[in-house]
């Protein structure tokens, strides 16, 4: 176990003890240092000022041995350092630094074949350069470490957030399926009730028909009996009653033998049943052409549960610092990238007076606040301070006859056209023409507490006939 060097230091000369002596007060000093102190004054301890009882204090042999061992280790270390400063091959002092092999060499090494063609610099200059390089490397490694720590913290946040997302998504799925179940249950009840009602109607009709048949059977039986009795009468009597009997026979008109339409109209209830129910469900289902991607939303943007509307909040939400998220500005994009064809969506702006709408390139920066202009990968319309501006370079002020409550964004990717219209009368507000080099995504920005809402569209069902 090593002893700290300060415990082996004389309080007078502040050096390692030489021939240490021990006073009665337990303080130790070099013999010569103590003698000098006593020669100039009273015979007392230089530390605690306690008077010494002996003029020739005893040697502290244990301390002396420890100090000598410590000095021996120090001398050996000094020799080792000296050896390390000399060339292992030539024994000469290392005065140069080979810039090719990145190692210190002596003047003999520089003249050897191994280093003769190599650039070298004095050891002092090389030391400064190497320290600068190591400082830069240290800074780079420290930055990497800080970044890894940040990623580690973000990973922990994302782990918690994933669980929250899972619970919220499951809750929404259950809620929406519950709504669909209610529609299906209601439609099932209505159709079962319709079958039951028709059953009651057909059974009542059948009972009336059976009652009518029974009356006709009774009347017909009576007529047959009358004719049979007439046939048994005397000839003259039969002839006298013939006309009346014949009229009664001919007056028997049977109207209850028509049995059509008495069964349940099964086809009416089962024909394309699933398709008809599906058509009914559409009245309870909204379809929006654009759905917001919550993983890209700035923390100050609040999205609706169905991911179709957004508004600004001064109180940021707790969300992880993932790479897809906009970190500098209150922005969010749609979840689907568009790389061909024509697309459109209508956004209800309502009372929101601070927004940007349009499309953005898939690769736009999420960590920097940059102008939403074409050269930066944005094609947008801006409404702020009561004025419309097309975000060109520089922005183009626009004049409109009225402030629309809705804005239609229309993209024709193949033609390189992004248009903004008032859907109330299809009036064109502005159109960008460009050549798109990568997929585009619907883009939204606002710093207003009033929501921007993507409007649902009517779903049309067509049947292909062959």
């Amino acid at each position: 176990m090593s002893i700290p060097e300060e415990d082996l230091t004389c309080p007078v000369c502040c050096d390692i003890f030489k021939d240490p002596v021990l006073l009665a007060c337990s303080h130790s000093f070099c013999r010569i240092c103590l003698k000098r102190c006593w020669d100039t004054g009273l015979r007392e301890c230089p530390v605690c000022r306690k008077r010494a009882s002996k003029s020739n204090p005893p040697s502290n042999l244990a301390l002396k041995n420890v100090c000598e061992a410590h000095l021996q280790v120090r001398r050996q270390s000094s020799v080792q350092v000296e050896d390390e400063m000399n060339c292992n091959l030539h024994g000469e002092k290392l005065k140069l630094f080979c810039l090719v092999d990145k190692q210190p060499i002596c003047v003999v090494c520089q003249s050897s074949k191994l280093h003769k063609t190599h650039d070298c610099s004095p050891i002092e200059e090389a030391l400064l350069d190497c320290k600068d390089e190591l400082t830069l490397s240290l800074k780079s490694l420290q930055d990497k470490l800080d970044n890894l720590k940040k990623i580690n913290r973000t990973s922990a946040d994302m782990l918690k957030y994933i669980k929250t997302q899972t619970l919220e998504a499951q809750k929404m799925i259950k809620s929406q399926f519950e709504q669909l179940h209610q529609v299906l249950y209601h439609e099932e009840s209505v159709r079962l009730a319709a079958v039951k009602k028709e059953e009651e109607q057909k059974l009542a009709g059948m009972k009336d028909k059976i009652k009518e048949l029974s009356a006709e059977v009774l009347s017909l039986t009576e007529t047959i009996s009358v004719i049979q009795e007439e046939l048994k009468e005397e000839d003259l009597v039969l002839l006298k009653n013939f006309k009346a009997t014949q009229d009664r026979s001919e007056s028997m008109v049977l109207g209850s033998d028509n049995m059509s339409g008495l069964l349940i109209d099964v086809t009416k209830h089962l024909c394309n049943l699933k398709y008809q129910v599906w058509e009914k469900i559409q009245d309870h289902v909204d379809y929006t052409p654009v759905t917001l991607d919550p993983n890209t939303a700035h923390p100050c943007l609040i999205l609706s549960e169905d991911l179709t509307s957004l508004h600004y909040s001064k109180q940021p939400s707790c969300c992880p610092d993932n790479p897809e998220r906009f970190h500098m500005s209150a922005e969010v994009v749609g979840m689907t990238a568009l790389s061909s064809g024509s697309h459109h969506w209508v956004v209800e702006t309502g009372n929101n007076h601070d927004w940007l709408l349009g499309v953005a390139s898939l690769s736009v920066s999420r960590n920097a606040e940059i102008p939403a202009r074409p050269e930066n990968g944005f094609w947008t319309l801006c409404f702020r301070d009561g004025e419309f501006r097309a975000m060109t370079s520089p922005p183009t002020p626009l004049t409109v006859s009225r402030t629309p409550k809705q804005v239609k964004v229309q993209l024709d990717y193949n033609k390189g056209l992004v248009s903004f219209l008032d859907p109330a009368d299809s009036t064109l507000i502005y159109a960008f023409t460009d050549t798109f080099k990568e997929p585009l995504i619907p883009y939204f920005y606002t710093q207003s507490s009033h929501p921007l809402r993507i409007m649902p569209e009517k779903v049309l069902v067509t049947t292909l006939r062959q």
Side-chain angles (χ1 to χ4, degrees):
M1 180 178 177
S2 61
I3 300 175
E5 189 167 301
E6 56 266 24
D7 293 341
L8 305 177
T9 302
C10 173
V12 177
C13 65
C14 296
D15 202 352
I16 301 298
F17 286 109
K18 295 175 182 176
D19 189 14
V21 295
L22 180 64
L23 298 182
C25 62
S26 299
H27 291 120
S28 295
F29 305 92
C30 297
R31 186 179 296 277
I32 191 169
C33 293
L34 184 63
K35 184 178 181 301
R36 286 173 183 167
C37 291
W38 285 1
D39 288 344
T40 59
L42 297 174
R43 195 169 65 195
E44 60 183 14
C45 175
V47 175
C48 66
R49 299 303 178 185
K50 186 175 182 180
R51 290 187 65 84
S53 58
K54 298 180 180 180
S55 60
N56 189 20
S59 296
N60 191 340
L61 295 178
L63 182 58
K64 181 180 180 181
N65 292 336
V66 173
C67 289
E68 287 179 352
H70 180 77
L71 290 172
Q72 180 64 25
V73 172
R74 180 189 282 183
R75 283 192 292 271
Q76 290 176 353
S77 298
S78 178
V79 171
Q80 185 177 358
V81 171
E82 184 68 25
D83 290 341
E84 289 178 353
M85 294 301 295
N86 294 331
C87 178
N88 293 333
L89 296 176
H90 308 107
E92 297 290 331
K93 193 171 183 179
L94 300 172
K95 294 183 177 181
L96 300 171
F97 185 78
C98 178
L99 300 176
V100 176
D101 294 327
K102 304 293 183 184
Q103 63 181 12
I105 61 174
C106 68
V107 291
V108 180
C109 291
Q110 185 187 25
S111 303
S112 67
K113 290 183 179 180
L114 188 61
H115 299 282
K116 190 172 184 179
T117 59
H118 295 175
D119 292 334
C120 300
S121 66
I123 204 83
E124 295 80 6
E125 292 182 11
L127 180 62
L128 294 175
D129 292 340
C130 289
K131 282 186 176 180
D132 289 341
E133 286 190 29
L134 287 177
T135 300
L136 290 175
S137 297
L138 179 62
K139 185 179 183 306
S140 176
L141 292 173
Q142 189 63 49
D143 291 342
K144 289 180 180 178
L145 178 60
D146 293 341
N147 188 48
L148 283 175
K149 288 181 178 179
K150 181 180 178 182
I151 292 174
N152 190 45
R153 289 193 300 269
T154 301
S155 299
D157 293 340
M158 290 177 70
L159 190 64
K160 296 178 182 177
Y161 195 70
I162 287 171
K163 294 180 180 179
T164 302
Q165 282 185 307
T166 301
L167 293 175
E168 291 180 351
Q170 289 176 337
K171 178 182 176 182
M172 281 300 299
I173 290 171
K174 288 182 179 179
S175 174
Q176 295 198 22
F177 267 96
E178 182 62 29
Q179 293 175 19
L180 292 175
H181 291 160
Q182 291 298 327
V183 174
L184 288 172
Y185 291 149
H186 174 72
E187 191 64 24
E188 177 187 15
S189 299
V190 169
R191 291 179 177 274
L192 289 175
V195 174
K196 186 66 177 177
K197 182 178 180 180
E198 185 175 353
E199 177 198 23
E200 293 173 353
Q201 291 174 346
K202 293 297 172 71
L203 288 177
M206 199 66 216
K207 289 178 180 178
D208 291 340
K209 178 64 71 175
I210 292 173
K211 185 177 180 180
E212 183 181 348
L213 284 171
S214 298
E216 289 181 350
V217 167
L218 179 60
S219 176
L220 188 59
T221 302
E222 290 177 351
T223 302
I224 292 172
S225 297
V226 169
I227 293 175
Q228 288 176 340
E229 290 299 323
E230 286 295 323
L231 289 173
K232 294 178 183 179
E233 294 290 340
E234 295 293 335
D235 294 342
L236 189 58
V237 174
L238 184 148
L239 290 175
K240 285 183 178 181
N241 296 332
F242 174 76
K243 186 176 185 309
T245 304
Q246 185 69 16
D247 291 343
R248 180 173 182 173
S249 172
E250 291 178 354
S251 66
M252 293 296 299
V253 179
L254 301 179
S256 57
D257 58 347
N258 183 9
M259 303 295 288
S260 64
L262 295 178
L263 298 179
I264 298 292
D265 191 354
V266 177
T267 303
K268 179 181 70 175
H269 299 289
L270 298 181
C271 177
N272 293 317
L273 176 60
K274 294 179 181 179
Y275 177 81
Q276 292 184 44
V277 173
W278 178 59
E279 281 189 317
K280 288 288 186 67
I281 289 179
Q282 289 183 74
D283 296 333
H284 302 271
V285 176
D286 290 333
Y287 169 78
T288 51
V290 171
T291 303
L292 301 174
D293 185 353
N295 294 337
T296 68
H298 185 275
C300 287
L301 285 182
I302 308 299
L303 307 187
S304 62
E305 289 185 338
D306 61 359
L307 306 177
T308 61
S309 72
L310 65 146
H311 69 273
Y312 183 84
S313 172
K314 293 181 180 179
Q315 185 66 36
S317 61
C318 295
C319 55
D321 190 18
N322 53 299
E324 301 89 350
R325 194 173 304 281
F326 286 93
H327 302 101
M328 303 301 294
S329 186
E331 302 163 282
V332 65
V333 293
M335 62 176 293
T336 304
L338 311 172
S339 57
S340 63
S342 297
H343 311 270
H344 72 270
W345 54 95
V346 176
V347 180
E348 184 179 64
T349 55
N351 295 321
N352 188 316
H353 296 150
D354 186 4
W355 51 259
L356 275 81
L357 300 174
V359 294
S361 298
L362 190 60
S363 64
V364 292
S365 175
R366 313 292 170 96
N367 294 312
E369 190 170 359
I370 56 178
R373 300 176 184 175
E375 65 268 23
N376 298 324
F378 296 86
W379 293 265
T380 60
L381 179 70
C382 173
F383 183 63
R384 181 173 294 160
D385 300 327
E387 296 181 356
F388 281 93
R389 289 188 293 274
M391 295 305 288
T392 53
S393 298
T396 302
L398 303 174
T399 302
V400 294
S401 58
R402 63 177 179 180
T403 301
K405 293 296 183 181
Q406 295 181 348
V407 174
K408 181 178 183 180
V409 184
Q410 192 163 294
L411 167 67
D412 192 323
Y413 188 95
N414 298 335
K415 292 182 179 179
L417 186 63
V418 180
S419 306
F420 300 91
L421 305 97
D422 182 349
D425 54 10
S426 297
T427 302
L428 178 66
I429 301 173
Y430 190 81
F432 289 90
T433 303
D434 211 329
T435 301
F436 306 128
K437 299 179 180 178
E438 61 176 289
L440 303 179
I441 39 182
Y443 172 84
F444 305 82
Y445 163 93
T446 186
Q447 278 199 338
S448 170
S449 59
H450 296 286
L452 297 174
R453 187 166 73 99
I454 304 166
M455 300 300 293
E457 292 190 353
K458 183 69 176 178
V459 178
L460 299 178
V461 180
T462 58
T463 303
L464 297 177
R465 299 185 181 277
Q466 296 181 351

